[in-house]
Amino acid sequence: LYDTFGFPLDLTRTITDERGITVDEKGFDEHMEKQREESRKHWKGTGDQETDAQWFQLVDQFKKANSLPEFVGYEHLEATGKVLFVSPDGTKVIVSKTPFYGESGGQVGDQGHIKSLKGDFEADVLDVQKPVPELIVAHIKPKKGFLKVGDEVAQYVHDENRALTARNHTATHLLHWALRKVLGDHVKQ
């Protein structure tokens, strides 16, 4: 549920607690780590081995600090979080909790807006990518001020774009299903 649909563990725990069922969190963690390792093996990345290695190194740092970014965009189109990373040129940002969907599975990344809670920084979010499986990186165009690691920011997904993108993505899957049904299982998306 988590890996495929982004269904959060804490919500699963809440639902199971209400029904008197327990969650094997140790088993969940073990399976998630196996899935991450498999994702790394099959990850195509940017094609630039040096850049991909830097992203994986960043993931390792976040893991050691127990601060991997959290995606909350299935439940919320707005979120606040702490800046974990800013590229030297200030155009790429990773936030501790983000509503922005990173391009994945054929669906394009979100667009939107980000601003510091202090009010001294604002930027447009032009695109969001997943350079490696565990990272969601917002590509931004700063409009005011500078961002630094540790800043608290508010993030806003452009909701109309998200809805249109999701509809197109769903339509693509439905079309693919219909083509396989009519033409056969050899049809690949």
Side-chain angles (χ1 to χ4, degrees):
L1 287 172
Y2 177 81
D3 187 44
T4 304
F5 301 107
F7 199 81
L9 178 61
D10 59 339
L11 190 52
T12 300
R13 192 180 314 111
T14 300
I15 293 169
T16 56
D17 286 350
E18 289 173 356
R19 290 168 173 75
I21 302 169
T22 59
V23 174
D24 178 8
E25 291 189 40
K26 183 179 177 196
F28 172 84
D29 292 337
E30 289 170 3
H31 285 283
M32 279 303 298
E33 188 55 38
K34 285 180 189 174
Q35 188 280 334
R36 285 186 186 110
E37 290 303 317
E38 281 300 308
S39 289
R40 283 184 177 197
K41 287 180 195 173
H42 302 292
W43 187 254
K44 291 182 178 63
T46 65
D48 179 342
Q49 290 182 342
E50 187 175 320
T51 300
D52 290 344
Q54 290 171 348
W55 289 122
F56 279 122
Q57 185 178 28
L58 198 54
V59 167
D60 290 339
Q61 289 175 8
F62 291 153
K63 280 183 182 178
K64 286 178 186 167
N66 199 26
S67 63
L68 274 174
E70 178 186 2
F71 173 68
V72 296
Y74 290 130
E75 302 91 17
H76 308 285
L77 295 180
E78 297 179 7
T80 58
K82 185 181 288 188
V83 174
L84 300 176
F85 169 84
V86 180
S87 64
D89 65 359
T91 63
K92 295 177 186 72
V93 179
I94 299 173
V95 181
S96 62
K97 184 184 290 188
T98 183
F100 292 114
Y101 183 87
E103 183 175 320
S104 179
Q107 182 168 326
V108 298
D110 280 327
Q111 295 179 344
H113 191 74
I114 185 171
K115 64 180 183 177
S116 69
L117 295 186
K118 292 187 288 184
D120 59 352
F121 175 82
E122 288 186 32
D124 289 327
V125 175
L126 306 176
D127 188 23
V128 182
Q129 296 286 316
K130 290 180 78 173
V132 295
E134 294 98 338
L135 292 183
I136 298 170
V137 181
H139 295 247
I140 63 171
K141 180 179 180 183
K143 296 167 70 173
K144 171 184 166 186
F146 300 94
L147 203 55
K148 61 187 179 304
V149 172
D151 284 351
E152 294 281 333
V153 294
Q155 305 153 89
Y156 307 92
V157 173
H158 187 283
D159 57 349
E160 189 176 321
N161 265 12
R162 166 73 76 84
L164 291 171
T165 299
R167 285 185 200 119
N168 287 340
H169 187 72
T170 300
T172 300
H173 283 289
L174 291 172
L175 175 61
H176 182 247
W177 174 84
L179 289 170
R180 288 176 60 95
K181 187 87 169 157
V182 172
L183 300 175
D185 290 340
H186 67 284
V187 175
K188 302 288 182 214
Q189 187 171 346

